[in-house]
Amino acid sequence: ASFSISLHKTDNITVMIKLRPGVSSNCKISRKRFSSSELKIKPGENVTFTFTCSNPEKYFIMEIQKNIDCVSGPCPFGDVHLYPPGLPRLNRTFIWDVKASTKAGLELKFSTPWLRQIAPGERCSDSVSYNINSYSDMATVNIGTFCRNGSVSRVKLLGGVVMSLHLPWDSPLTTSGFNIANRASIKRLCIIESILEGESSVTLMSPNYPLGFPEDELMTWQFVVPSNMRASVFFHNYSLSNCERKEERVEYYIPGSLSNPEVFKLSDSQPANIAGSFNLSLQGCDQDAQNPGILRLLFQVIVQHPQLDENVTHLVDLSKESNMTVTIHFEGWPSRIPLMSEPICLICKDPRTCDRVMTLVSGTVYKISFLCKDLSRLRITAEKGISCVDLRWCQRKVYSLLVPKAIIQLPIRLYKFIWKLLAPDVINIEITSPSLKLQQHVPEQRCNTSYSYSIVSATSGTELNVGVFCPGGSIEKIQMRNNVTISLKTFGKGFLNESNHQDLKMSFVPHIKDECIFTVSPYPKAKVYLQTPNWPYGLPPYVSISWHIIVPSKQVARLGFSKDRMGIACETGRAYVNVKEETPRAEETVRREDELLPEPRNMYHDFWVNVSNCKPVDKTQLTLQFRVTFADKQIDLGLIIAVVAGAGVLVAIGLTVCCVKKKKKKSQNPMVGVYNSDVNTQMPGKRGLFAKGRKNNESHVYAVIDDAVVYGHLLKESNGSVAPEVDVYRPFDGPVGSLPPSPPPFSFRKDIKRSSNTEEPPPLTDIDHETYTFAHQKSGQSDDSGDTTEKHNGDTHMSLLENKEQDGLVE
C-alpha cells in the first residue's frame, strides 16, 4: 500500500518513521528510487512512500511531534487533535511540546473516563498511555504516566509542558482526549485534580517517582469528594532527603477545619474519615549539596460511605496493664500487604485519626471505632512482657496468663496473644494448668479446641520449640529454663465462649537440671501421647528432657515407645533413655542410642522418663514419642482364694476354742489363784504406808493359769506354732508402773518389742488398788527385748491391726 503525508508549514508538525529499538529487518521504506530504514517528514513537505513488507507494524514505529509556542505568539487553546490524517497503522506517539512563560500556567483538561496514574514499569491494559513532563529553567520534571479510566481530571502546570500520547498500531482512538487552556500562575510545580465519585480509591505518586522530588518545590493534589462520603489518606511508600533548611512536610486544607492548613510529617498517621473535598500539598526543603538524598511519596486515598457504626465507640481500658501492646490489623498482617483494590477497614482512635493498623499501649484508656463494612477481616495481636530480676520477690508471686477482658469484649477476633517471660540464668519458669491441664498436639492426638498454646524456650545460643498444647489433657506442669515465649493462637469464633475458663498460670522457680520437665497427672483410664520438643527436627545437642508421670491410685500405667530404637548415631557423647519408678530399691532402666528401647511395661507407681541427647552426626536427629495408657489394676484371683481360705481356717479355730472352753467350764472348778505367803499383805495406800515401793516388793505377783494355756495343744494343731507350757509359774520380770497396766492382748507375733520404760512411779494416792499383775508366756519370744521386726523388701508400711497390737503390748 502507498501512503501520502502532506504537512502544512504553519502546523509545526514533524513526522518521523524509524525501526523499533533493537530490531533489525530487511523491511524498508521505499520512496521513489530510494529505500531506507528511516523517514523524516518536515513541515511544508508532501511525501509518498511504501513499505517493502506486508507487516511493517512489527518493525517500525512513528513519532508525530507538534511544537506550540505560547511565548512569542498566541496559543492554540482548545481541543487537541490527532493530526495529520492518513497515517500508516504503526505504533505511534503523539508529542505536544508547549513552550510557555514561567509566570503563566497551563491546564490539561481530560475528558471522561479521565486518567489513572501508574508506577514506572507498569503497563496499561489497552496499551494507551499518557506521559506528562513539565520544564522550566531548563529542568524537566516527569509529572507522571497515566492510563485511561481513572479519576485524574485535570493537571495544572507552571511553565512549559511536553505531553505524549502512546497508541498501539491497532488502536481505534481518533481523538487525543484532552484540551489545553491557559491559566494564571499557580505558584507551584503542579496541581493534580482527582474526582472521586462513590466508593473508590486512587493511588498517586510524587513527580519523578521513584526518583527524587525537585528541591524546595511545592505541589498540590486536589480531591473532589461528595460531601456525604468519607475520605482517608494512607502513605504506602516514602523517603526523605537530607535538609539543610526548612522541613519536608505535607499540609492538608480541609473545608470547615479550624486549623487549616493541618501540617503532618510524612512519618505521621495521615488524616482519615474526612467529610467531603480536601487538598493535600507536598513541600520539599533546601537539600544538602554533598548528600541531598531523595524525597518521594506514593500514597492512596480511599473514599467510603459512612459506616452505620461510625459513631459507636468501644472502650479499651489498658490503664491497669503493664508492658503490653495491642495491635488491631487487617488479616495477614504483617507478612501480607493488601491490594489497593481491596475493600478497606479502618481503626480510629478519634474521628480523624484512623489507619489500617492501630497499636494500643498499656497504661492508657482508648475509645476506638471502626470504619469497616466487614469486621471479620480484622484481627488482634497482643504481646505482654513479664520479667524477674530478684527471685526472692518473684518466687512468691503467681502470674495468671489470661487474655484481658478489655480485648475479648471487642467485636474483633483475637488472632494471637504472646507472653514473653524473661528470667536470668539462675531462675527458671514454671507453667501450670491446675484444672484444665494441657494436651500435647501430636499426630495421634490432635488438638480440636478453639485455641492452643505454642511454647518456645530460649537459652543462650539454643532455642527449644517445646511444642503446641491445648486445654483438656493430662500435663499439669511444665518447667523450663531461662526465657520462654508462649503464644496463644485462636481458631474460629469459639474462643469467645471458652475464654472464661482459661487457667494457665506462671511462676518463677529456682534452677532446674534439665532443659525442660513435664509433670503428667492424668485422669483415670486416660491415654496420653507425649513427644520430645523440637519435633520433627530433633532435640538440640546435649539437651536433657524429663517427664514425671503420676499414676493414679488403683491404676496401672502401661508405657510404650513408638519405635524400637532412638534412630541416631552420636558424634560426641552418648544419648540415653532412662525409666525409673518412684519406689525404694526400684531398678532404673537405661538404654543407649545403640541399644533397643525398653519393651512395653506396666508401671504401678509414679515414674520418670528421661531423654538425654548427645551431639548427633550429620543428618540424624533424636525424636522420640511414647504413649502411657492408664487402666484399673486387675485383682489377683489366687490372692482372693488364699484370703478366703485363711479366713475360713481362722473361723474354724475360733469355733473349736469356744467349744472346748464351754466343755471345760462345765467339768472344772473355777480358776484358782495360788497364794504367796512371803509377800506383804498390807492394804496399799500412800507411799508412806509401804516400806518399799511397788518395784521393791512382791505384793503384786500372782501366778494365773489361763484357759488358753490349758488348751494350747489345740492351737498347735491348727497353725503349727509351739504350744505354751502348762501349769508353769513365770514371775513378771518387766518394768512396773505406779498403776497396774492393762492386760495386753493375746498374741503370738515374733516382732513385738518389750517396753523398756524405767521411770520412777509417781506417789500413790489413798485410793484402794488391786495390786496384781498378769504374766503371760509368749510363744516364740526371745529373752532379750531387742528389735525383732521383719523387713519386707523395703516395705515399711504397717497395718492397722499390727499397730494396735504393738500399742497394747508396749503401753
Side-chain angles (χ1 to χ4, degrees):
S2 177
F3 301 94
S4 294
I5 298 178
S6 178
L7 301 177
H8 297 95
K9 194 169 184 178
T10 57
D11 289 337
N12 287 328
I13 294 176
T14 301
V15 177
M16 172 69 94
I17 301 174
K18 58 185 177 180
L19 287 172
R20 288 172 180 254
V23 174
S24 60
S25 173
N26 294 325
C27 188
K28 303 292 181 179
I29 303 171
S30 177
R31 180 184 175 189
K32 295 182 180 179
R33 290 174 295 179
F34 300 99
S35 295
S36 65
S37 299
E38 187 175 284
L39 175 63
K40 183 175 182 180
I41 307 173
K42 298 178 182 179
E45 294 183 347
N46 187 359
V47 178
T48 301
F49 62 93
T50 62
F51 293 99
T52 62
C53 60
S54 60
N55 51 353
E57 69 274 4
K58 289 185 177 180
Y59 311 107
F60 292 94
I61 60 173
M62 182 167 51
E63 290 181 357
I64 304 97
Q65 180 170 330
K66 180 178 177 64
N67 297 320
I68 302 174
D69 186 358
C70 293
V71 176
S72 57
C75 287
F77 297 120
D79 292 337
V80 176
H81 302 284
L82 300 182
Y83 186 86
L87 297 174
R89 290 168 61 85
L90 301 176
N91 289 348
R92 54 204 180 275
T93 302
F94 291 90
I95 302 172
W96 295 271
D97 187 348
V98 183
K99 293 179 174 62
S101 169
T102 57
K103 296 180 181 179
L106 291 176
E107 178 183 280
L108 305 178
K109 186 176 181 181
F110 300 94
S111 57
T112 55
W114 300 323
L115 302 184
R116 173 176 60 87
Q117 189 173 8
I118 60 173
E122 190 178 347
R123 295 182 59 86
C124 300
S125 59
D126 60 359
S127 297
V128 176
S129 64
Y130 295 84
N131 185 264
I132 305 173
N133 287 273
S134 172
Y135 62 89
S136 60
D137 299 330
M138 304 303 293
T140 302
V141 178
N142 180 16
I143 302 300
T145 302
F146 301 82
C147 301
R148 296 194 300 169
N149 297 314
S151 64
V152 175
S153 58
R154 287 189 295 180
V155 177
K156 301 174 185 178
L157 303 129
L158 183 66
V161 60
V162 178
M163 178 71 179
S164 302
L165 170 60
H166 304 278
L167 297 176
W169 68 271
D170 57 350
S171 173
L173 198 64
T174 58
T175 60
S176 66
F178 70 96
N179 62 47
I180 299 177
N182 66 336
R183 288 289 182 266
S185 176
I186 58 176
K187 298 180 181 180
R188 61 200 66 204
L189 176 64
C190 66
I191 299 173
I192 299 176
E193 180 185 80
S194 178
I195 300 176
L196 297 166
E197 297 178 328
E199 287 199 337
S200 56
S201 70
V202 58
T203 300
L204 296 164
M205 285 145 271
S206 58
N208 281 344
Y209 188 90
L211 301 178
F213 185 69
E215 181 180 8
D216 195 25
E217 275 287 5
L218 171 67
M219 73 157 293
T220 299
W221 290 272
Q222 293 179 335
F223 297 98
V224 180
V225 181
S227 59
N228 63 337
M229 304 295 286
R230 301 291 180 265
S232 301
V233 181
F234 302 96
F235 287 2
H236 293 297
N237 188 19
Y238 68 89
S239 64
L240 303 175
S241 57
N242 298 314
C243 297
E244 282 189 344
R245 288 177 305 191
K246 300 182 183 179
E247 185 179 11
E248 296 165 335
R249 63 191 185 274
V250 289
E251 298 178 355
Y252 290 85
Y253 181 84
I254 302 174
S257 173
L258 300 178
S259 56
N260 281 323
E262 297 185 19
V263 180
F264 291 81
K265 295 180 180 179
L266 274 73
S267 57
D268 293 337
S269 292
Q270 303 303 309
N273 202 26
I274 302 171
S277 302
F278 66 99
N279 293 349
L280 166 60
S281 298
L282 174 64
Q283 174 68 64
C285 68
D286 291 333
Q287 299 173 350
D288 184 349
Q290 301 298 324
N291 183 21
I294 292 177
L295 170 61
R296 61 186 172 193
L297 172 63
L298 183 150
F299 67 100
Q300 184 182 23
V301 176
I302 297 176
V303 176
Q304 299 170 283
H305 286 289
Q307 304 302 311
L308 295 176
D309 57 351
E310 176 184 10
N311 297 322
V312 177
T313 59
H314 302 270
L315 184 68
V316 183
D317 187 356
L318 304 179
S319 59
K320 296 181 181 179
E321 300 291 341
S322 60
N323 298 325
M324 187 171 77
T325 59
V326 179
T327 302
I328 306 174
H329 55 87
F330 53 86
E331 189 175 7
W333 175 88
S335 58
R336 187 184 75 87
I337 298 175
L339 299 175
M340 294 183 184
S341 58
E342 289 184 24
I344 191 169
C345 281
L346 299 180
I347 307 101
C348 303
K349 286 193 289 188
D350 58 60
R352 289 275 305 284
T353 307
C354 305
D355 209 337
R356 280 183 164 180
V357 178
M358 182 82 57
T359 298
L360 315 177
V361 297
S362 55
T364 310
V365 179
Y366 296 90
K367 291 182 178 180
I368 65 173
S369 59
F370 301 99
L371 291 176
C372 185
K373 282 187 176 181
D374 184 8
L375 291 179
S376 66
R377 299 173 58 242
L378 292 177
R379 297 289 184 270
I380 296 175
T381 297
E383 183 176 305
K384 183 177 178 65
I386 302 175
S387 60
C388 176
V389 178
D390 187 354
L391 184 60
R392 292 174 297 178
W393 181 84
C394 303
Q395 198 171 6
R396 298 192 298 267
K397 190 170 182 180
V398 176
Y399 300 85
S400 294
L401 303 185
L402 306 177
V403 179
K405 291 184 178 179
I407 297 176
I408 297 175
Q409 69 183 5
L410 289 173
I412 308 298
R413 174 182 154 189
L414 175 68
Y415 171 66
K416 188 179 289 186
F417 197 105
I418 302 170
W419 291 273
K420 291 194 172 181
L421 315 177
L422 308 177
D425 291 341
V426 296
I427 301 176
N428 296 149
I429 291 170
E430 179 178 285
I431 306 297
T432 61
S433 180
S435 58
L436 294 178
K437 301 183 183 178
L438 298 176
Q439 171 192 316
Q440 189 171 13
H441 179 78
V442 298
E444 291 77 10
Q445 201 169 47
R446 297 180 179 273
C447 291
N448 57 1
T449 54
S450 64
Y451 66 99
S452 67
Y453 298 100
S454 175
I455 303 178
V456 176
S457 172
T459 59
S460 55
T462 303
E463 184 172 282
L464 187 68
N465 185 2
V466 178
V468 176
F469 304 85
C470 55
S474 300
I475 301 174
E476 185 175 332
K477 180 168 60 179
I478 306 175
Q479 292 176 307
M480 292 158 286
R481 291 166 60 179
N482 301 122
N483 302 331
V484 173
T485 299
I486 301 176
S487 301
L488 181 151
K489 188 175 181 181
T490 64
F491 308 95
K493 300 179 181 179
F495 177 73
L496 186 62
N497 297 325
E498 296 185 11
S499 61
N500 296 327
H501 307 294
Q502 300 174 81
D503 75 333
L504 200 66
K505 301 182 184 300
M506 186 279 296
S507 58
F508 294 98
V509 296
H511 185 74
I512 60 174
K513 179 184 69 174
D514 294 322
E515 197 76 28
C516 184
I517 300 176
F518 298 85
T519 299
V520 181
S521 178
Y523 297 103
K525 298 184 179 180
K527 182 183 292 185
V528 183
Y529 290 88
L530 300 166
Q531 65 187 20
T532 50
N534 255 28
W535 187 278
Y537 306 106
L539 284 178
Y542 310 118
V543 165
S544 178
I545 308 293
S546 290
W547 291 264
H548 184 208
I549 316 294
I550 308 298
V551 180
S553 60
K554 299 181 182 180
Q555 293 265 303
V556 60
R558 185 162 184 83
L559 169 67
F561 291 88
S562 61
K563 56 185 180 181
D564 296 333
R565 294 180 180 272
M566 296 188 209
I568 65 166
C570 291
E571 178 182 315
T572 306
R574 288 286 197 178
Y576 292 96
V577 171
N578 300 54
V579 179
K580 186 178 181 180
E581 280 192 280
E582 279 189 332
T583 57
R585 300 182 184 177
E587 292 185 0
E588 183 173 5
T589 302
V590 181
R591 294 290 188 271
R592 294 196 312 260
E593 80 281 356
D594 56 351
E595 297 176 324
L596 290 172
L597 290 172
E599 294 289 333
R601 60 181 59 194
N602 290 338
M603 315 296 279
Y604 295 92
H605 305 87
D606 300 350
F607 64 97
W608 287 84
V609 176
N610 174 266
V611 177
S612 301
N613 198 14
C614 60
K615 182 182 179 182
V617 298
D618 292 340
K619 298 182 180 179
T620 61
Q621 300 293 342
L622 177 54
T623 57
L624 277 183
Q625 186 185 90
F626 59 94
R627 180 181 68 183
V628 184
T629 306
F630 297 86
D632 292 333
K633 288 182 180 178
Q634 298 297 323
I635 301 176
D636 192 340
L637 186 60
L639 179 62
I640 296 176
I641 295 174
V643 171
V644 172
V649 171
L650 292 177
V651 171
I653 293 173
L655 291 174
T656 304
V657 171
C658 290
C659 293
V660 172
K661 287 175 66 177
K662 188 173 182 181
K663 182 177 180 181
K664 174 179 175 293
K665 288 181 180 180
K666 289 181 180 180
S667 61
Q668 204 173 27
N669 291 330
M671 184 187 302
V672 179
V674 179
Y675 174 70
N676 188 345
S677 61
D678 296 329
V679 302
N680 186 353
T681 58
Q682 293 183 7
M683 193 72 145
K686 296 181 181 178
R687 178 178 292 273
L689 300 178
F690 285 92
K692 303 178 182 179
R694 282 187 77 224
K695 237 192 226 189
N696 302 324
N697 64 54
E698 297 178 334
S699 61
H700 58 287
V701 179
Y702 282 83
V704 180
I705 302 172
D706 201 329
D707 291 342
V709 175
V710 177
Y711 299 103
H713 64 285
L714 297 176
L715 294 176
K716 179 178 179 181
E717 294 174 359
S718 65
N719 59 13
S721 60
V722 180
E725 297 175 281
V726 183
D727 295 345
V728 177
Y729 167 75
R730 293 290 185 186
F732 181 79
D733 55 357
V736 180
S738 300
L739 298 175
S742 301
F746 188 80
S747 175
F748 296 106
R749 285 180 54 84
K750 296 182 180 181
D751 54 350
I752 303 302
K753 292 184 180 180
R754 292 192 183 214
S755 174
S756 58
N757 183 13
T758 57
E759 294 181 1
E760 289 294 328
L764 291 173
T765 63
D766 291 333
I767 301 174
D768 187 9
H769 297 310
E770 298 179 69
T771 56
Y772 59 87
T773 300
F774 295 95
H776 296 275
Q777 174 67 33
K778 284 79 175 177
S779 173
Q781 181 175 318
S782 60
D783 292 337
D784 63 353
S785 59
D787 185 5
T788 59
T789 305
E790 292 181 7
K791 295 181 179 178
H792 297 281
N793 194 21
D795 188 358
T796 59
H797 298 290
M798 183 177 291
S799 68
L800 181 61
L801 178 60
E802 292 170 350
N803 283 330
K804 287 185 176 296
E805 291 180 2
Q806 183 160 335
D807 291 344
L809 291 174
V810 299
E811 183 177 350

